[in-house]
Amino acid sequence: MVLNMGPQHPSTHGVLRLEVVTDGEIVVDVIPHIGYLHRCFEKHAESLTYPQVIPYVDRMDYLAAMNNELAWAIAVERLLGIEEEIHPRVQYIRVLMAELNRISSHLVSIGTFGQDAGAVTPFLWCFRDREHILNLFEWASGARLLYNYIWIGGLMHDLPLGFEERCREFVEYFRPKVRELNELLTYNKIFIERTANVGVLPVEVAVNWGCSGPMLRGSGLRWDLRRDDPYAVYPELDFEVCVGRGEIGTVGDSWNRYKVRAEEIEQSLRIVEQCLDQLQRGIGRRTADFDPQKLCPPRVAPPKDAEVYARFENPRGELGFYILSDGTDKPFRVKARAPSFSNLSVLPEISRGAMLADLIVILGSIDIVLGEVDR
């Protein structure tokens, strides 16, 4: 039997249609049909100036807009040859925002994944705590989802007075909540039985299919671009790269992918604290004459034929931008490598032979954002 799941289905997490071939309740094959959210990002980018592209990268992975902005800004700065000249306070604010956004993105992933498996309360808890981060973003940028805050060479604004203190209060509030979430969901017997040994992705398959981020690390490979191809101030920060260890189930299964994201939240909190230390008392502390908007170049026009491929560790994996310049203030060619696209492509491989009900769990464990898949 051939079943259609989506494109309007709550468990596809967006406008995605899965053509599912079944034999009874066993999945024989899955064929993803994408393109319902295609917005011509790459073609748009070739018609806009480099700074004007930033609101468009926000809309790719709209759950991690700060991370997308950081990636685009650094890629263009690398093209201009000014990456090493970025002000230290700008650098720490950027990483602070990116890690807060990683936490909020993982909260959505964990909450919705729990709901896919039948657990409703963790979903409410995750969205309650995510609100605190969105409030901080709104205070700094004026927006709750799509920010246009990280600019090429600088920022839209400095942090508001008192932001660092409020952010530290959030960390102190949130750390016990992570432990509560683990007690409620991570080691819940029903949740484990729904997710462990389901959708096992062996590490060699993950590498061959171009998987990255928690999808790859859940299969046991310790690969994180913040550590293995570092950028911004990540080399100066102390954090661990989390991987699936098979503590429960099999390395590479849905539970291990979930567990990597849960552990990464704690590591992001460590990074946030270190950034706050630098912003309050260290090299990135506030000064009266600091204006991050004035640090942005008035006209961005890389040299003719200059090109760059820059890659970054986003919450869903490796986000890459290839940019080719023709010497004007608009890119001649832009190509985006979206992690959700590559991660989704392995879905048929890890779903064959699974129960139909487990297909929802497998798809939820991949944690896709369709805005990024389709671009």
Side-chain angles (χ1 to χ4, degrees):
M1 179 183 292
V2 178
L3 300 175
N4 276 298
M5 182 189 297
Q8 305 295 336
H9 190 288
S11 294
T12 56
H13 298 202
V15 279
L16 168 69
R17 181 166 73 93
L18 297 179
E19 185 181 338
V20 187
V21 182
T22 64
D23 179 7
E25 292 196 38
I26 304 297
V27 175
V28 177
D29 200 5
V30 183
I31 304 156
H33 293 271
I34 62 175
Y36 296 96
L37 207 56
H38 186 56
R39 300 176 313 287
C40 302
F41 162 75
E42 293 170 3
K43 203 62 188 171
H44 275 138
E46 294 164 14
S47 303
L48 301 164
T49 63
Y50 290 91
Q52 287 175 333
V53 175
I54 294 172
Y56 286 76
V57 299
D58 279 346
R59 286 158 174 79
M60 290 174 54
D61 180 354
Y62 39 78
L63 295 179
M66 286 289 187
N67 300 81
N68 295 352
E69 293 174 11
L70 175 63
W72 178 258
I74 292 180
V76 177
E77 288 159 5
R78 203 168 286 176
L79 198 62
L80 292 167
I82 62 170
E83 185 182 1
E84 305 300 325
E85 301 169 14
I86 304 303
H87 194 285
R89 183 169 174 80
V90 171
Q91 294 270 28
Y92 280 104
I93 291 175
R94 286 177 170 187
V95 173
L96 171 73
M97 292 301 196
E99 292 306 317
L100 286 173
N101 213 164
R102 189 183 308 277
I103 295 171
S104 72
S105 174
H106 280 356
L107 283 175
V108 174
S109 170
I110 288 172
T112 54
F113 183 54
Q115 195 170 43
D116 288 340
V120 176
T121 304
F123 175 81
L124 301 175
W125 285 17
C126 289
F127 273 68
R128 174 199 63 194
D129 294 332
R130 175 174 174 257
E131 280 298 299
H132 294 286
I133 298 175
L134 298 190
N135 288 341
L136 289 169
F137 286 162
E138 185 178 15
W139 190 18
S141 70
R144 294 177 67 79
L145 197 67
L146 309 170
Y147 311 106
N148 190 19
Y149 180 71
I150 297 175
W151 287 6
I152 297 164
L155 302 165
M156 177 201 290
H157 301 295
D158 193 2
L159 296 176
L161 287 172
F163 185 94
E164 294 93 327
E165 291 78 5
R166 187 82 66 85
C167 192
R168 205 176 282 279
E169 288 174 10
F170 165 73
V171 173
E172 292 171 2
Y173 155 83
F174 183 58
R175 188 158 271 140
K177 303 297 181 189
V178 178
R179 287 194 288 272
E180 289 178 10
L181 184 64
N182 283 331
E183 292 168 4
L184 180 70
L185 183 64
T186 306
Y187 299 107
N188 181 286
K189 184 176 186 299
I190 299 173
F191 179 70
I192 290 172
E193 291 186 356
R194 286 300 318 275
T195 58
N197 299 312
V198 173
V200 177
L201 174 63
V203 65
E204 60 273 14
V205 177
V207 171
N208 289 340
W209 283 81
C211 298
S212 57
M215 276 290 285
L216 180 61
R217 291 191 286 276
S219 296
L221 185 62
R222 201 174 294 277
W223 178 260
D224 188 319
L225 293 173
R226 294 174 296 176
R227 182 70 72 206
D228 296 300
D229 189 7
Y231 53 93
V233 290
Y234 282 110
E236 301 165 22
L237 301 172
D238 182 28
F239 65 97
E240 295 175 13
V241 177
C242 306
V243 296
R245 299 184 296 275
E247 176 188 354
I248 291 175
T250 308
V251 174
D253 66 10
S254 298
W255 189 89
N256 278 271
R257 286 192 283 277
Y258 158 85
K259 188 63 165 47
V260 166
R261 294 187 182 97
E263 291 181 353
E264 285 187 354
I265 287 179
E266 298 181 35
Q267 296 305 315
S268 289
L269 287 175
R270 287 179 63 192
I271 296 174
V272 166
E273 284 183 318
Q274 293 171 66
C275 290
L276 290 173
D277 289 342
Q278 293 297 328
L279 291 170
Q280 289 183 297
R281 296 181 290 275
I283 191 173
R285 62 187 177 278
R286 192 185 297 268
T287 57
D289 60 343
F290 177 73
D291 184 350
Q293 202 173 111
K294 288 184 178 176
L295 298 173
C296 303
R299 184 173 185 271
V300 178
K304 190 175 188 310
D305 295 332
E307 62 180 346
V308 69
Y309 176 74
R311 55 183 185 169
F312 307 88
E313 191 65 42
N314 268 27
R316 283 162 192 80
E318 178 182 330
L319 172 65
F321 286 117
Y322 169 77
I323 309 172
L324 175 62
S325 167
D326 59 0
T328 68
D329 60 354
K330 298 175 183 175
F332 177 75
R333 178 75 175 98
V334 172
K335 173 76 177 119
R337 190 267 186 209
S340 289
F341 179 81
S342 300
N343 292 343
L344 177 63
S345 67
V346 82
L347 176 66
E349 192 72 18
I350 60 177
S351 299
R352 294 188 187 107
M355 298 291 286
L356 183 59
D358 290 339
L359 180 60
I360 299 297
V361 170
I362 297 171
L363 179 62
S365 73
I366 297 176
D367 185 29
I368 55 170
V369 165
L370 267 301
E372 186 179 71
V373 172
D374 290 341
R375 301 189 296 286

